[in-house]
Amino acid sequence: MIPYSILDLSPVAEGHSVREALDASRSLAQVAEKNGYRRFWLAEHHGMPGIASAATALVISHVAAGTQTIRVGSGGIMLPNHSPLVIAEQFGTLEALYPGRVELGLGRAPGTDMRTARALRRNMEAGAESFPHDILELQRLLGEPDDEGGLIAVPGMNSHVPIWLLGSSLYSAHLAAALGLPYAFASHFAPDQLLDAVEIYRERFQPSAGLQKPYVMVGTMAAIAETDREAAHLFTSAQQQFVNLRRNIRRSFPRPVETMEGFWTEMERIGVEHTLRYAIVGSPETAADKLSRFIADVRPDEIIVSTPVHNLQARIRSVELFAGLPQRISQAA
């Protein structure tokens, strides 16, 4: 079966603190490591009371310090928010602390509203436009220094931290293919261009020193419990969060509710269900069927799963149950 990984946002659950959210990410990574997940990534978001992973490199270090073997990294660092030198130094430091386990996924979006984006890096248009150049600069800073006395990253140089390109559009597929980078598509919240993006990436992939053939990881959300009803109940937290985002309401990650009826409008329901249509929600039997069909449609090399569940123990249980889905799928084949 294809490998599975975890994408975590360090959700600040309603009624809990940022410290509890960060410790929960470490606990979840430990469970993922025990259950055979390949990597544990954290995502950069800013100005969101429900997400604690804004200082992504620091949270990666916190998680890596509590684990032994699982690969840790960013899913992703939003490069237009930063200078390549700063990111090279941060991830070069992480590689020195946790050798052979660190990965750097890069995105082009700001990961926040535009006012916060401007506070992070003043010239946002230039940052986005220079994205391909900044990736090349970052690769150079993480590689072997030249002999011409140019800019170097310390730590960073000679670390050769693996770089991934993340995306939710066709632009990212073209760029990942041109640069010969592994590609992760954010189908867990941007499903519409998934199949086209994967096809473009595979067709136009140019082998590079780091990767000889295309490698695609695709994202999905999951809320798995003992019954379909319990899983659907847990998933109402994610549904509320997406409605709140559309309404520009900033709050901590909400507790689940018995029903979404009365919370969202009909148009909001249609929009959220469309956005989250690849989510794997249900009992293990139901989840295995949904995941099997998703794999058949997309043919990914790897799946990365986000588990937006309010209660930590229920989130851990969902991750454990997801790890058992490959066996269920193979038995049903």
Side-chain angles (χ1 to χ4, degrees):
M1 291 295 295
I2 63 174
Y4 298 92
S5 296
I6 297 283
L7 173 65
D8 191 50
L9 305 184
S10 293
V12 184
E14 184 179 357
H16 295 269
S17 67
V18 169
R19 175 56 190 265
E20 288 173 314
L22 298 173
D23 286 346
S25 288
R26 181 189 276 207
S27 296
L28 195 69
Q30 292 167 343
V31 171
E33 185 172 74
K34 290 178 182 177
N35 282 273
Y37 287 83
R38 175 169 289 186
R39 60 190 97 244
F40 191 95
W41 279 4
L42 293 131
E44 177 186 350
H45 292 277
H46 300 276
M48 298 183 181
I51 296 176
S53 54
T56 314
L58 291 177
V59 186
I60 290 170
S61 186
H62 179 63
V63 166
T67 53
Q68 299 295 321
T69 58
I70 194 168
R71 300 187 67 81
V72 291
S74 61
I77 290 292
M78 301 298 107
L79 193 53
N81 294 342
H82 314 279
S83 76
L85 176 61
V86 168
I87 299 304
E89 291 173 341
Q90 290 177 358
F91 278 77
T93 301
L94 288 170
E95 175 61 27
L97 291 171
Y98 313 104
R101 294 176 59 200
V102 176
E103 299 172 325
L104 175 54
L106 299 173
R108 187 170 66 112
T112 186
D113 62 275
M114 293 313 298
R115 181 173 63 178
T116 306
R118 284 192 294 270
L120 287 163
R121 187 171 180 179
R122 298 295 179 179
N123 191 344
M124 287 304 300
E125 288 187 8
E129 290 172 0
S130 64
F131 184 55
H133 174 270
D134 284 351
I135 293 173
L136 296 175
E137 177 69 0
L138 191 48
Q139 286 180 312
R140 189 189 70 78
L141 290 168
L142 292 171
E144 298 177 6
D146 56 44
D147 297 326
E148 300 178 358
L151 184 69
I152 60 173
V154 183
M157 64 178 182
N158 295 316
S159 64
H160 302 285
V161 175
I163 291 177
W164 289 65
L165 191 61
L166 317 183
S168 58
S169 69
L170 302 185
Y171 172 89
S172 59
H174 284 284
L175 184 58
L179 297 179
L181 293 173
Y183 182 45
F185 192 88
S187 40
H188 58 296
F189 69 83
D192 290 341
Q193 294 183 312
L194 168 62
L195 298 180
D196 288 341
V198 169
E199 183 179 2
I200 287 170
Y201 170 70
R202 285 177 169 150
E203 286 182 351
R204 305 195 177 193
F205 180 83
Q206 298 297 313
S208 65
L211 191 66
Q212 291 302 300
K213 61 181 182 179
Y215 192 92
V216 178
M217 179 162 63
V218 296
T220 185
M221 290 189 183
I224 307 174
E226 304 304 330
T227 67
D228 289 345
R229 182 174 181 177
E230 183 184 356
H233 173 66
L234 295 175
F235 198 61
T236 60
S237 292
Q239 292 170 326
Q240 290 175 77
Q241 184 185 45
F242 270 76
V243 173
N244 287 336
L245 286 172
R246 290 164 184 258
R247 296 175 180 176
N248 196 29
I249 296 173
R250 302 187 185 194
R251 52 166 296 185
S252 55
F253 188 63
R255 293 183 173 89
V257 293
E258 289 302 319
T259 178
M260 288 293 291
E261 186 176 348
F263 183 86
W264 55 14
T265 67
E266 181 65 10
M267 290 302 298
E268 286 172 334
R269 181 191 66 79
I270 292 171
V272 170
E273 289 182 349
H274 175 82
T275 298
L276 304 179
R277 70 178 184 267
Y278 289 134
I280 309 297
V281 180
S283 66
E285 182 179 7
T286 299
D289 179 64
K290 291 181 178 179
L291 182 61
S292 178
R293 287 187 277 113
F294 182 59
I295 292 171
D297 289 342
V298 185
R299 298 178 294 107
D301 298 297
E302 187 171 339
I303 287 178
I304 188 163
V305 58
S306 173
T307 307
V309 172
H310 179 275
N311 178 271
L312 177 58
Q313 292 309 311
R315 186 151 50 114
I316 286 173
R317 184 57 179 153
S318 181
V319 166
E320 291 173 339
L321 290 172
F322 192 95
L325 297 186
Q327 184 177 0
R328 283 180 172 271
I329 293 173
S330 61
Q331 289 174 346

